[in-house]
Amino acid sequence: MLGKRGKNEGSIYQRKDGRWVAQMQIGWTPNGNRRFVTYYGKTRREVATKLENSLSEVNKRIFIEPSKITYEEWLWTWMETYKRTTVSESTYARYISLIHNHILPNLSKIKLQDIKPMHIQKVYNICVDKNLSGSAIKHIHTVFKQSLEQAINQDLIYTNPAQKTIRPPIRHKLVSSLTLEQQQRLISVLGDDTISTLIKLAMGTGARLGELLGLKWENIDFENMEIHIVQGLVRSYSIDNETHKVHHVSSKLSKLKTDSSLRTIPLTNYLAKTLKKYRREQNKYINTFNDNIAPFPDLVFLSESGTYLDPSNVRKKYANFLKEADIPFIKFHALRHTFATRILEANVHPKVAQDLLGHSTSSTTLDIYSHVLPNQKREAIAKLEGII
């Protein structure tokens, strides 16, 4: 039965099965046929309301043609088309991991056009309940915000629901570091071998493990007593286009991601002497490498076969040193925190600490290492004695 058509109402009619249908023409197909948007409902009022809303959007030029594409389908399209060539390989791999583990379990079947701010907010809340790191939640927010913004650019949605969410504040976890006494015990069990030297350099420069493994001899300026951090050893990945799974393939040298990470760190006399002695010993065994292995003699830290050091092997040997020094296990990255703790305890200005650590801002440094500053606060208040 054909329903009465009101002014600018489109076509409304009732089917034989009792359902109501509303249609609105939205254009033409390539072969000249008319294209319609169709709405279904149990009552005439229901479909008329949908039609009126659509006609209002058309008049405001904000109408988006209904689509069955799910957020999952769009997410992988966005990743492959817009992100794969614009971020580092490691960041791309991390995005994929976060999508699989934290985004899709909650949103995989929802249509792109049906996503609401509450759906995204629910994902954030779940991540907080799981004690996910602030950095991970920040990346998840980036995925939501950028993928949905691009959907707007492609006329798939009109507004970005991620803009209407409240992202949980980034709370830096209390970092762990070695006490001065533990640091001295660890140094006492270290030798002159490759990993011992690497550990000493980590404690004396605050450089990340990847940055140390990517260090070349040309990056060390013994005349001016400084090292230049310009690249790092990173994982290389392969992506399965069908399953969107990430597989670790190998390691490679890569430029650092941010300008703040590019930095120069002065060397102590102890570290300079340690590195010179280590280089003399390294030169002895470099000449024994099999030419077919394609060694990398320009790297400071090499495996016994002249290839990249495996980070997992470094961490295992480091754990053994901790055990030998009777120190409870603490992650290798804690050596970077130990360096930061020592320099802040020595009243080094936060801006200087920021530059040495390669942080983008000094506020980041203070946020992470605020627990180191109680003594400095007491010293500052003590200077007010007799004044107020």
Side-chain angles (χ1 to χ4, degrees):
M1 179 178 76
L2 185 64
K4 180 180 178 182
R5 182 185 303 179
K7 184 178 179 181
N8 296 325
E9 191 181 45
S11 174
I12 298 179
Y13 62 93
Q14 189 176 29
R15 299 193 333 175
K16 292 181 179 180
D17 62 6
R19 297 180 71 194
W20 284 87
V21 182
Q23 284 188 321
M24 177 181 72
Q25 184 178 348
I26 59 172
W28 303 85
T29 65
N31 59 9
N33 296 323
R34 292 190 296 174
R35 289 173 56 231
F36 292 93
V37 170
T38 304
Y39 300 108
Y40 299 93
K42 295 181 179 180
T43 65
R44 189 181 194 284
R45 179 187 294 273
E46 181 182 350
V47 296
T49 299
K50 293 178 181 178
L51 197 57
E52 288 170 5
N53 291 337
S54 295
L55 287 167
S56 175
E57 291 175 354
V58 168
N59 292 331
K60 294 177 183 177
R61 297 186 178 183
I62 63 173
F63 175 75
I64 300 293
E65 182 177 357
S67 171
K68 294 182 179 179
I69 183 173
T70 65
Y71 182 56
E72 178 178 8
E73 292 169 332
W74 169 247
L75 201 50
W76 294 127
T77 298
W78 172 75
M79 284 286 288
E80 173 62 25
T81 308
Y82 299 99
K83 295 309 293 182
R84 185 173 60 83
T85 59
T86 61
V87 295
S88 69
E89 196 173 24
S90 60
T91 297
Y92 189 75
R94 189 176 191 194
Y95 279 0
I96 288 180
S97 175
L98 293 172
I99 289 170
H100 276 303
N101 295 326
H102 304 290
I103 296 179
L104 292 185
N106 302 287
L107 297 176
S108 62
K109 303 306 178 184
I110 297 180
K111 290 181 181 179
L112 173 62
Q113 293 179 337
D114 291 341
I115 289 187
K116 306 298 181 188
M118 63 177 293
H119 295 131
I120 300 173
Q121 196 69 54
K122 180 180 178 182
V123 173
Y124 293 157
N125 295 342
I126 291 173
C127 290
V128 171
D129 291 341
K130 291 181 177 178
N131 290 320
L132 209 61
S133 71
S135 173
I137 295 176
K138 181 180 179 180
H139 279 303
I140 289 172
H141 177 70
T142 297
V143 169
F144 276 129
K145 184 178 178 181
Q146 293 186 5
S147 65
L148 293 169
E149 196 64 33
Q150 193 59 50
I152 293 175
N153 295 338
Q154 296 299 310
D155 295 327
L156 295 173
I157 56 177
Y158 179 66
T159 61
N160 188 339
Q163 298 279 19
K164 300 176 182 179
T165 61
I166 301 175
R167 193 189 79 193
I170 295 179
R171 293 186 174 90
H172 295 287
K173 294 180 179 179
L174 186 63
V175 297
S176 299
S177 60
L178 297 172
T179 65
L180 180 59
E181 188 269 337
Q182 288 175 328
Q183 187 174 0
Q184 292 170 340
R185 288 214 313 267
L186 177 58
I187 293 174
S188 70
V189 301
L190 298 176
D192 299 322
D193 59 283
T194 299
I195 295 181
S196 289
T197 304
L198 187 150
I199 292 173
K200 293 174 185 177
L201 197 58
M203 285 190 287
T205 64
R208 302 172 179 89
L209 178 56
E211 294 170 342
L212 294 172
L213 295 179
L215 193 65
K216 295 182 178 181
W217 285 112
E218 65 187 43
N219 303 137
I220 301 179
D221 184 347
F222 286 109
E223 182 177 350
N224 293 305
M225 298 282 286
E226 59 190 21
I227 66 171
H228 305 285
I229 305 296
V230 297
Q231 74 266 318
L233 187 68
V234 299
R235 287 186 169 188
S236 180
Y237 301 91
S238 68
I239 311 295
D240 188 318
N241 292 327
E242 292 186 5
T243 63
H244 305 290
K245 295 290 186 179
V246 178
H247 303 285
H248 175 219
V249 178
S250 59
S251 298
K252 65 178 182 180
L253 289 178
S254 176
K255 293 181 180 179
L256 300 181
K257 293 187 295 184
T258 62
D259 291 339
S260 58
S261 294
L262 301 170
R263 61 199 189 277
T264 297
I265 305 174
L267 289 172
T268 63
N269 288 325
Y270 171 78
L271 285 178
K273 291 178 181 178
T274 297
L275 286 169
K276 287 178 181 179
K277 180 179 180 181
Y278 167 70
R279 188 175 192 182
R280 289 194 296 269
E281 294 301 316
Q282 186 191 63
N283 286 335
K284 293 179 182 179
Y285 71 80
I286 281 181
N287 295 327
T288 68
F289 291 156
N290 185 331
D291 291 337
N292 295 326
I293 296 177
F296 303 89
D298 56 339
L299 286 177
V300 175
F301 300 109
L302 294 166
S303 70
E304 293 181 355
S305 59
T307 56
Y308 298 128
L309 270 179
D310 185 338
S312 62
N313 289 338
V314 173
R315 294 188 180 97
K316 289 177 183 177
K317 187 69 180 294
Y318 160 73
N320 290 336
F321 282 129
L322 289 179
K323 189 174 182 179
E324 185 179 348
D326 195 25
I327 299 172
F329 177 77
I330 189 172
K331 291 182 178 180
F332 186 94
H333 196 69
L335 299 182
R336 173 172 164 83
H337 299 322
T338 298
F339 168 80
T341 299
R342 295 290 95 82
I343 62 175
L344 289 172
E345 286 174 345
N347 291 317
V348 168
H349 193 281
K351 177 62 179 176
V352 176
Q354 170 207 335
D355 292 340
L356 290 172
L357 292 164
H359 289 153
S360 57
T361 64
S362 56
S363 62
T364 299
T365 308
L366 291 175
D367 284 345
I368 297 174
Y369 298 106
S370 59
H371 67 288
V372 181
L373 304 177
N375 290 335
Q376 284 84 337
K377 292 178 182 177
R378 293 189 185 93
E379 291 174 7
I381 297 300
K383 292 179 181 179
L384 296 178
E385 289 291 348
I387 299 176
I388 186 172

